Amino acid sequence: MARDRTEEISGARIVIQALKEHGVDTVFGYPGGAVLPIYDELFLDQGIKHILVRHEQAAAHAAEGYARSTGKPGVLLVTSGPGATNAVTGLTDALMDSIPIICLSGQVPTFMIGNDAFQEADTVGITRPCTKHNWLVKDTANLAEVIHQAFHVATNGRPGPVLVDIPKDVQFATAPYKTAAQAKTSHYNPRVKGDPDAIQTVVEMIEQAERPIFYSGGGVVNSGDAASQLLRDLVNGTGFPITSTLMGLGCYPASGKNWVGMLGMHGTYEANLAMHGCDLMICVGARFDDRITGRTDAFSPNSTKVHIDIDPSSINKNIHVDVPIIGDVGHVLEHMLKIWRSRGRKTRSAEVKEWWSQIEEWKAVDCLRYKPSTETIKPQYALQRLEELTKKHDRYICTEVGQHQMWAAQFLGFEEPKRWMTSGGLGTMGYGVPSSIGVQVANPRSLVINVAGEASFMMTMQEMSTAVQYNLPVKQFILNNERLGMVRQWQELLHGERYSSSYSEALPDFVKLAEAFGCKGIKCENPADLDDAIKEMLDYDGPVIFDCLVERHENCFPMIPSGKAHNEMLLGEASTQNTIDHTGAVLV
Amino acid sequence: MNALHLKKGSSQHSAYHLKPGYGDENERRVLAVIVDNEAGVLARVIGLFSGRGYNIESLTVAEVNHSRHYSRITIVTTGTPMVLEQIKSQLGRLVPVHDVHDLTTEGPHVERELALVKVVCSDDKRVEALRMCDVFRAKVVDTTLESFVFELTGAPEKIDAFVDLMKPLGLIDLARTGVAAISRGVDAPKE
């Protein structure tokens, strides 16, 4: 593309050129009046693949799925007004989970802004709290520079969503194109290297620790594949146990010998008790979220806490830490590993061995056990079979939000980062279907499965039409309990079994629904048929809706009820068999 | 069923732990925030405070470097030490924010506020108002036969004291700029 640099091109053309300069190959979007000039350029150029979603929320989640599975920023293109407001849920989701996505939105022409024009909304105002940063471009001459900045801000520091609002007249007007190198440099350059003194201190603590634990999170995934490798080297080198948040699954392999499982509200008994009882906690790219800490004043009372995070505002937000290290996980771990090795790779191995035997005792409790059944499919069993039959595949897993999500985290094993796409911070039901589409677009030859609940699935199931249109063979594995399972579980445990609006009445026939969309439907309700049905799903070259009818009243355990500490977790049905007390619950 | 033996009215029915984890005393801080003077920057700062439930006691803003379009926002806020640290780091991570200075903890600083005070009075009260004006080194910037507008500069407490004294003398309107603050000595924020 040998364009004269001084040649003036339209704003719409600038958008396409800037996207290409940043290596964007795919855009998820939905056209409308205020973005037609950009769609025209997409049509003329053909260099960028456009995936037409069926709702703008899905464009944002698909861009997230694309970003999470590739490590590259995802891009979505939506029109003004409803196009932008529909994208808000996806932007908020990306903000909470630190996912780099770039939303380009159309806007009414600059001279009509503020007039309540057709399809006008104050998009930068609405998205200000749900993006990392946003811009309204009022002059075509600034457009290229703003898009370059948008990519810079979305991908540097703690990643997150950004939005560029482009009025229609700015898309039509012309200006010379500025390359990223010509654009003025942004002052936004968060620190990536950690404080060497603090890192030295942590190495000394590692050498002295008797009951240490690594607690890793999504920051490790965001830092890049090298960070996961460094984490593995450090964990395997020291021999310390490691647990992870929901967002960080896969950074340390589930089959690794130091893995103690996920922690938190539905984490394993051994992980949570190890967090409670440790004397040294090294938090790597996680943020002491309330689903992790339980009651904060009883959280890991006797430990020295180290926190590595690129975002200074994550430090001391919920939990006071003793050694904060602000920096990129990859840089800090590399530095830490180097110092620890140069000092002779010391640990107090005898004490750590004793600590491990304590952890083994907790492991022996077998906290994920459930009562098997030959009549109904237990959701845990369905996931165990799915794991068994797919773990050798080049596999990506998405989920929706609820019980199935927690079971998937507990029963599926992740060996690599970027293989697990789930809505952690915002807990967005409806995330999984569009996310699986984004993942499949980015990884066309891989097996992409969305573990869903029937209620979550129905929130964005229109996207099956997108899957069919682009021939994306996503597998929707629905654990159908005909209930809003997690809501029902809370109502059973905490609200006197008053199941207020948690029953999915009038569900569609998912097999017929699949056929209506033009994909394959499979229904399974007998445990004996499950393996064959899963194999049938895997063998089918195209999108599948798998309706797995499971036990309706299964609860997800273990569980740390809110307001309880890690060592007060509920293990299974046995610990909940108590008298009914009809106290009215005020808050959920 | 209430498997967890929760007492009636207990907050533990909630999906969240409802007791705040900190009980420290509130402190007052004066923050100087250097930002790009671009559209929406003030909305970002204010939105941060309202969205996260922080207090703003006073806020002033004006462009201080016209060639580079930098504005200085002076914010007076209160909170526990943990919340104040959060405020500073949350401000620091806004993209248009260059620098956040906690003037209260970084060393001695000067705080000044300007007030315009309108007093309507006659006879003895008029004489008394003028005398007070003298004592506080305020200036008369507008007068009619029945009224004065005083201009007064000083620390917020001085202005409070002047306002209290003017109330019985016929104060009917008051405009205050909010606090502008700067550190004492030779140090200055880098730009």
PDB file of all heavy atoms in Angstrom, chain A residues 272-298:
ATOM      1  N   ASN A 272      -7.658 -23.440  50.030  1.00  0.00           N
ATOM      2  CA  ASN A 272      -8.113 -22.421  50.976  1.00  0.00           C
ATOM      3  C   ASN A 272      -7.489 -22.597  52.355  1.00  0.00           C
ATOM      4  O   ASN A 272      -7.150 -21.608  53.008  1.00  0.00           O
ATOM      5  CB  ASN A 272      -9.642 -22.434  51.065  1.00  0.00           C
ATOM      6  CG  ASN A 272     -10.282 -21.787  49.843  1.00  0.00           C
ATOM      7  OD1 ASN A 272      -9.732 -20.828  49.296  1.00  0.00           O
ATOM      8  ND2 ASN A 272     -11.402 -22.311  49.408  1.00  0.00           N
ATOM      9  N   LEU A 273      -7.343 -23.834  52.783  1.00  0.00           N
ATOM     10  CA  LEU A 273      -6.704 -24.026  54.084  1.00  0.00           C
ATOM     11  C   LEU A 273      -5.219 -23.684  54.038  1.00  0.00           C
ATOM     12  O   LEU A 273      -4.664 -23.169  55.013  1.00  0.00           O
ATOM     13  CB  LEU A 273      -6.939 -25.443  54.612  1.00  0.00           C
ATOM     14  CG  LEU A 273      -8.116 -25.441  55.592  1.00  0.00           C
ATOM     15  CD1 LEU A 273      -9.416 -25.194  54.887  1.00  0.00           C
ATOM     16  CD2 LEU A 273      -8.155 -26.686  56.425  1.00  0.00           C
ATOM     17  N   ALA A 274      -4.600 -23.943  52.912  1.00  0.00           N
ATOM     18  CA  ALA A 274      -3.189 -23.571  52.776  1.00  0.00           C
ATOM     19  C   ALA A 274      -3.044 -22.050  52.781  1.00  0.00           C
ATOM     20  O   ALA A 274      -2.117 -21.506  53.383  1.00  0.00           O
ATOM     21  CB  ALA A 274      -2.608 -24.161  51.490  1.00  0.00           C
ATOM     22  N   MET A 275      -3.981 -21.363  52.159  1.00  0.00           N
ATOM     23  CA  MET A 275      -3.956 -19.892  52.197  1.00  0.00           C
ATOM     24  C   MET A 275      -4.149 -19.406  53.626  1.00  0.00           C
ATOM     25  O   MET A 275      -3.518 -18.444  54.063  1.00  0.00           O
ATOM     26  CB  MET A 275      -5.073 -19.317  51.318  1.00  0.00           C
ATOM     27  CG  MET A 275      -4.828 -19.426  49.840  1.00  0.00           C
ATOM     28  SD  MET A 275      -3.555 -18.304  49.244  1.00  0.00           S
ATOM     29  CE  MET A 275      -4.476 -16.772  49.089  1.00  0.00           C
ATOM     30  N   HIS A 276      -5.031 -20.071  54.356  1.00  0.00           N
ATOM     31  CA  HIS A 276      -5.317 -19.650  55.727  1.00  0.00           C
ATOM     32  C   HIS A 276      -4.127 -19.893  56.647  1.00  0.00           C
ATOM     33  O   HIS A 276      -3.824 -19.081  57.508  1.00  0.00           O
ATOM     34  CB  HIS A 276      -6.541 -20.402  56.255  1.00  0.00           C
ATOM     35  CG  HIS A 276      -7.051 -19.847  57.550  1.00  0.00           C
ATOM     36  ND1 HIS A 276      -7.849 -18.735  57.606  1.00  0.00           N
ATOM     37  CD2 HIS A 276      -6.850 -20.239  58.839  1.00  0.00           C
ATOM     38  CE1 HIS A 276      -8.132 -18.459  58.868  1.00  0.00           C
ATOM     39  NE2 HIS A 276      -7.542 -19.360  59.636  1.00  0.00           N
ATOM     40  N   GLY A 277      -3.443 -21.008  56.401  1.00  0.00           N
ATOM     41  CA  GLY A 277      -2.404 -21.416  57.348  1.00  0.00           C
ATOM     42  C   GLY A 277      -0.977 -21.066  56.956  1.00  0.00           C
ATOM     43  O   GLY A 277      -0.045 -21.360  57.710  1.00  0.00           O
ATOM     44  N   CYS A 278      -0.791 -20.435  55.809  1.00  0.00           N
ATOM     45  CA  CYS A 278       0.569 -20.214  55.340  1.00  0.00           C
ATOM     46  C   CYS A 278       1.308 -19.166  56.180  1.00  0.00           C
ATOM     47  O   CYS A 278       0.689 -18.384  56.898  1.00  0.00           O
ATOM     48  CB  CYS A 278       0.554 -19.785  53.873  1.00  0.00           C
ATOM     49  SG  CYS A 278      -0.197 -18.188  53.601  1.00  0.00           S
ATOM     50  N   ASP A 279       2.640 -19.182  56.084  1.00  0.00           N
ATOM     51  CA  ASP A 279       3.401 -18.101  56.726  1.00  0.00           C
ATOM     52  C   ASP A 279       3.967 -17.129  55.696  1.00  0.00           C
ATOM     53  O   ASP A 279       4.405 -16.040  56.039  1.00  0.00           O
ATOM     54  CB  ASP A 279       4.496 -18.652  57.649  1.00  0.00           C
ATOM     55  CG  ASP A 279       5.638 -19.319  56.892  1.00  0.00           C
ATOM     56  OD1 ASP A 279       5.469 -19.582  55.689  1.00  0.00           O
ATOM     57  OD2 ASP A 279       6.679 -19.580  57.508  1.00  0.00           O
ATOM     58  N   LEU A 280       3.967 -17.535  54.421  1.00  0.00           N
ATOM     59  CA  LEU A 280       4.380 -16.616  53.360  1.00  0.00           C
ATOM     60  C   LEU A 280       3.444 -16.779  52.168  1.00  0.00           C
ATOM     61  O   LEU A 280       3.316 -17.880  51.623  1.00  0.00           O
ATOM     62  CB  LEU A 280       5.824 -16.900  52.917  1.00  0.00           C
ATOM     63  CG  LEU A 280       6.293 -16.086  51.700  1.00  0.00           C
ATOM     64  CD1 LEU A 280       6.355 -14.605  52.005  1.00  0.00           C
ATOM     65  CD2 LEU A 280       7.663 -16.580  51.216  1.00  0.00           C
ATOM     66  N   MET A 281       2.768 -15.694  51.801  1.00  0.00           N
ATOM     67  CA  MET A 281       1.869 -15.734  50.645  1.00  0.00           C
ATOM     68  C   MET A 281       2.465 -14.829  49.575  1.00  0.00           C
ATOM     69  O   MET A 281       2.719 -13.653  49.822  1.00  0.00           O
ATOM     70  CB  MET A 281       0.492 -15.211  51.053  1.00  0.00           C
ATOM     71  CG  MET A 281      -0.496 -15.144  49.908  1.00  0.00           C
ATOM     72  SD  MET A 281      -2.011 -14.303  50.404  1.00  0.00           S
ATOM     73  CE  MET A 281      -2.556 -15.366  51.731  1.00  0.00           C
ATOM     74  N   ILE A 282       2.700 -15.416  48.395  1.00  0.00           N
ATOM     75  CA  ILE A 282       3.225 -14.600  47.300  1.00  0.00           C
ATOM     76  C   ILE A 282       2.135 -14.482  46.240  1.00  0.00           C
ATOM     77  O   ILE A 282       1.850 -15.436  45.509  1.00  0.00           O
ATOM     78  CB  ILE A 282       4.513 -15.211  46.706  1.00  0.00           C
ATOM     79  CG1 ILE A 282       5.537 -15.401  47.835  1.00  0.00           C
ATOM     80  CG2 ILE A 282       5.079 -14.310  45.606  1.00  0.00           C
ATOM     81  CD1 ILE A 282       6.798 -16.101  47.402  1.00  0.00           C
ATOM     82  N   CYS A 283       1.501 -13.337  46.210  1.00  0.00           N
ATOM     83  CA  CYS A 283       0.407 -13.093  45.275  1.00  0.00           C
ATOM     84  C   CYS A 283       0.994 -12.553  43.977  1.00  0.00           C
ATOM     85  O   CYS A 283       1.642 -11.512  43.964  1.00  0.00           O
ATOM     86  CB  CYS A 283      -0.563 -12.098  45.891  1.00  0.00           C
ATOM     87  SG  CYS A 283      -1.754 -11.452  44.714  1.00  0.00           S
ATOM     88  N   VAL A 284       0.770 -13.279  42.899  1.00  0.00           N
ATOM     89  CA  VAL A 284       1.355 -12.915  41.613  1.00  0.00           C
ATOM     90  C   VAL A 284       0.244 -12.542  40.635  1.00  0.00           C
ATOM     91  O   VAL A 284      -0.462 -13.414  40.120  1.00  0.00           O
ATOM     92  CB  VAL A 284       2.175 -14.101  41.044  1.00  0.00           C
ATOM     93  CG1 VAL A 284       2.969 -13.652  39.824  1.00  0.00           C
ATOM     94  CG2 VAL A 284       3.095 -14.694  42.086  1.00  0.00           C
ATOM     95  N   GLY A 285       0.033 -11.258  40.433  1.00  0.00           N
ATOM     96  CA  GLY A 285      -0.960 -10.811  39.449  1.00  0.00           C
ATOM     97  C   GLY A 285      -2.392 -11.178  39.786  1.00  0.00           C
ATOM     98  O   GLY A 285      -3.161 -11.538  38.906  1.00  0.00           O
ATOM     99  N   ALA A 286      -2.737 -11.090  41.052  1.00  0.00           N
ATOM    100  CA  ALA A 286      -4.128 -11.288  41.469  1.00  0.00           C
ATOM    101  C   ALA A 286      -4.478 -10.106  42.363  1.00  0.00           C
ATOM    102  O   ALA A 286      -3.611  -9.320  42.713  1.00  0.00           O
ATOM    103  CB  ALA A 286      -4.295 -12.605  42.204  1.00  0.00           C
ATOM    104  N   ARG A 287      -5.763  -9.965  42.749  1.00  0.00           N
ATOM    105  CA  ARG A 287      -6.120  -8.690  43.379  1.00  0.00           C
ATOM    106  C   ARG A 287      -6.909  -8.818  44.689  1.00  0.00           C
ATOM    107  O   ARG A 287      -7.650  -7.921  45.066  1.00  0.00           O
ATOM    108  CB  ARG A 287      -6.849  -7.799  42.390  1.00  0.00           C
ATOM    109  CG  ARG A 287      -8.138  -8.399  41.839  1.00  0.00           C
ATOM    110  CD  ARG A 287      -8.756  -7.472  40.806  1.00  0.00           C
ATOM    111  NE  ARG A 287      -9.960  -8.019  40.237  1.00  0.00           N
ATOM    112  CZ  ARG A 287     -11.188  -7.749  40.678  1.00  0.00           C
ATOM    113  NH1 ARG A 287     -11.369  -6.953  41.683  1.00  0.00           N
ATOM    114  NH2 ARG A 287     -12.235  -8.284  40.093  1.00  0.00           N
ATOM    115  N   PHE A 288      -6.801  -9.957  45.369  1.00  0.00           N
ATOM    116  CA  PHE A 288      -7.469 -10.131  46.670  1.00  0.00           C
ATOM    117  C   PHE A 288      -8.948  -9.758  46.575  1.00  0.00           C
ATOM    118  O   PHE A 288      -9.480  -9.002  47.384  1.00  0.00           O
ATOM    119  CB  PHE A 288      -6.777  -9.312  47.769  1.00  0.00           C
ATOM    120  CG  PHE A 288      -5.361  -9.729  48.056  1.00  0.00           C
ATOM    121  CD1 PHE A 288      -4.297  -9.093  47.442  1.00  0.00           C
ATOM    122  CD2 PHE A 288      -5.094 -10.766  48.936  1.00  0.00           C
ATOM    123  CE1 PHE A 288      -2.984  -9.481  47.697  1.00  0.00           C
ATOM    124  CE2 PHE A 288      -3.784 -11.161  49.206  1.00  0.00           C
ATOM    125  CZ  PHE A 288      -2.730 -10.514  48.583  1.00  0.00           C
ATOM    126  N   ASP A 289      -9.600 -10.300  45.560  1.00  0.00           N
ATOM    127  CA  ASP A 289     -11.008 -10.062  45.318  1.00  0.00           C
ATOM    128  C   ASP A 289     -11.843 -10.635  46.467  1.00  0.00           C
ATOM    129  O   ASP A 289     -11.398 -11.545  47.173  1.00  0.00           O
ATOM    130  CB  ASP A 289     -11.349 -10.778  43.996  1.00  0.00           C
ATOM    131  CG  ASP A 289     -12.809 -10.736  43.674  1.00  0.00           C
ATOM    132  OD1 ASP A 289     -13.208  -9.749  43.068  1.00  0.00           O
ATOM    133  OD2 ASP A 289     -13.527 -11.678  44.015  1.00  0.00           O
ATOM    134  N   ASP A 290     -13.064 -10.130  46.641  1.00  0.00           N
ATOM    135  CA  ASP A 290     -13.864 -10.607  47.777  1.00  0.00           C
ATOM    136  C   ASP A 290     -14.294 -12.070  47.640  1.00  0.00           C
ATOM    137  O   ASP A 290     -14.602 -12.718  48.631  1.00  0.00           O
ATOM    138  CB  ASP A 290     -15.075  -9.692  48.022  1.00  0.00           C
ATOM    139  CG  ASP A 290     -15.980  -9.573  46.816  1.00  0.00           C
ATOM    140  OD1 ASP A 290     -16.631 -10.572  46.488  1.00  0.00           O
ATOM    141  OD2 ASP A 290     -16.034  -8.485  46.212  1.00  0.00           O
ATOM    142  N   ARG A 291     -14.317 -12.610  46.401  1.00  0.00           N
ATOM    143  CA  ARG A 291     -14.616 -14.047  46.243  1.00  0.00           C
ATOM    144  C   ARG A 291     -13.423 -14.900  46.696  1.00  0.00           C
ATOM    145  O   ARG A 291     -13.550 -16.110  46.872  1.00  0.00           O
ATOM    146  CB  ARG A 291     -14.922 -14.419  44.784  1.00  0.00           C
ATOM    147  CG  ARG A 291     -16.059 -13.689  44.120  1.00  0.00           C
ATOM    148  CD  ARG A 291     -17.412 -13.995  44.692  1.00  0.00           C
ATOM    149  NE  ARG A 291     -17.789 -12.980  45.659  1.00  0.00           N
ATOM    150  CZ  ARG A 291     -19.022 -12.785  46.114  1.00  0.00           C
ATOM    151  NH1 ARG A 291     -20.012 -13.534  45.704  1.00  0.00           N
ATOM    152  NH2 ARG A 291     -19.288 -11.851  47.003  1.00  0.00           N
ATOM    153  N   ILE A 292     -12.255 -14.273  46.796  1.00  0.00           N
ATOM    154  CA  ILE A 292     -11.050 -14.986  47.175  1.00  0.00           C
ATOM    155  C   ILE A 292     -10.823 -14.924  48.681  1.00  0.00           C
ATOM    156  O   ILE A 292     -10.495 -15.911  49.317  1.00  0.00           O
ATOM    157  CB  ILE A 292      -9.813 -14.341  46.473  1.00  0.00           C
ATOM    158  CG1 ILE A 292      -9.922 -14.481  44.964  1.00  0.00           C
ATOM    159  CG2 ILE A 292      -8.504 -14.895  47.017  1.00  0.00           C
ATOM    160  CD1 ILE A 292      -9.990 -15.880  44.458  1.00  0.00           C
ATOM    161  N   THR A 293     -11.030 -13.733  49.251  1.00  0.00           N
ATOM    162  CA  THR A 293     -10.596 -13.528  50.638  1.00  0.00           C
ATOM    163  C   THR A 293     -11.597 -14.036  51.658  1.00  0.00           C
ATOM    164  O   THR A 293     -11.216 -14.357  52.775  1.00  0.00           O
ATOM    165  CB  THR A 293     -10.382 -12.028  50.911  1.00  0.00           C
ATOM    166  OG1 THR A 293     -11.608 -11.342  50.663  1.00  0.00           O
ATOM    167  CG2 THR A 293      -9.293 -11.462  50.029  1.00  0.00           C
ATOM    168  N   GLY A 294     -12.878 -14.106  51.287  1.00  0.00           N
ATOM    169  CA  GLY A 294     -13.871 -14.353  52.318  1.00  0.00           C
ATOM    170  C   GLY A 294     -13.832 -13.186  53.291  1.00  0.00           C
ATOM    171  O   GLY A 294     -13.603 -12.041  52.887  1.00  0.00           O
ATOM    172  N   ARG A 295     -14.018 -13.485  54.585  1.00  0.00           N
ATOM    173  CA  ARG A 295     -14.004 -12.398  55.580  1.00  0.00           C
ATOM    174  C   ARG A 295     -12.595 -11.826  55.675  1.00  0.00           C
ATOM    175  O   ARG A 295     -11.658 -12.527  56.034  1.00  0.00           O
ATOM    176  CB  ARG A 295     -14.467 -12.941  56.929  1.00  0.00           C
ATOM    177  CG  ARG A 295     -14.957 -11.860  57.853  1.00  0.00           C
ATOM    178  CD  ARG A 295     -15.618 -12.467  59.074  1.00  0.00           C
ATOM    179  NE  ARG A 295     -14.640 -12.690  60.125  1.00  0.00           N
ATOM    180  CZ  ARG A 295     -14.616 -13.762  60.910  1.00  0.00           C
ATOM    181  NH1 ARG A 295     -15.486 -14.729  60.730  1.00  0.00           N
ATOM    182  NH2 ARG A 295     -13.718 -13.856  61.849  1.00  0.00           N
ATOM    183  N   THR A 296     -12.465 -10.545  55.371  1.00  0.00           N
ATOM    184  CA  THR A 296     -11.119  -9.989  55.234  1.00  0.00           C
ATOM    185  C   THR A 296     -10.351  -9.960  56.549  1.00  0.00           C
ATOM    186  O   THR A 296      -9.137 -10.122  56.548  1.00  0.00           O
ATOM    187  CB  THR A 296     -11.164  -8.568  54.643  1.00  0.00           C
ATOM    188  OG1 THR A 296     -12.135  -7.820  55.358  1.00  0.00           O
ATOM    189  CG2 THR A 296     -11.522  -8.593  53.175  1.00  0.00           C
ATOM    190  N   ASP A 297     -11.055  -9.769  57.672  1.00  0.00           N
ATOM    191  CA  ASP A 297     -10.297  -9.671  58.927  1.00  0.00           C
ATOM    192  C   ASP A 297      -9.821 -11.038  59.416  1.00  0.00           C
ATOM    193  O   ASP A 297      -9.032 -11.125  60.352  1.00  0.00           O
ATOM    194  CB  ASP A 297     -11.076  -8.910  60.015  1.00  0.00           C
ATOM    195  CG  ASP A 297     -12.448  -9.498  60.251  1.00  0.00           C
ATOM    196  OD1 ASP A 297     -12.738 -10.570  59.692  1.00  0.00           O
ATOM    197  OD2 ASP A 297     -13.233  -8.886  61.001  1.00  0.00           O
ATOM    198  N   ALA A 298     -10.320 -12.103  58.775  1.00  0.00           N
ATOM    199  CA  ALA A 298      -9.849 -13.436  59.151  1.00  0.00           C
ATOM    200  C   ALA A 298      -9.039 -14.065  58.026  1.00  0.00           C
ATOM    201  O   ALA A 298      -8.737 -15.245  58.031  1.00  0.00           O
ATOM    202  CB  ALA A 298     -11.034 -14.332  59.482  1.00  0.00           C
TER     203      ALA A 298
END
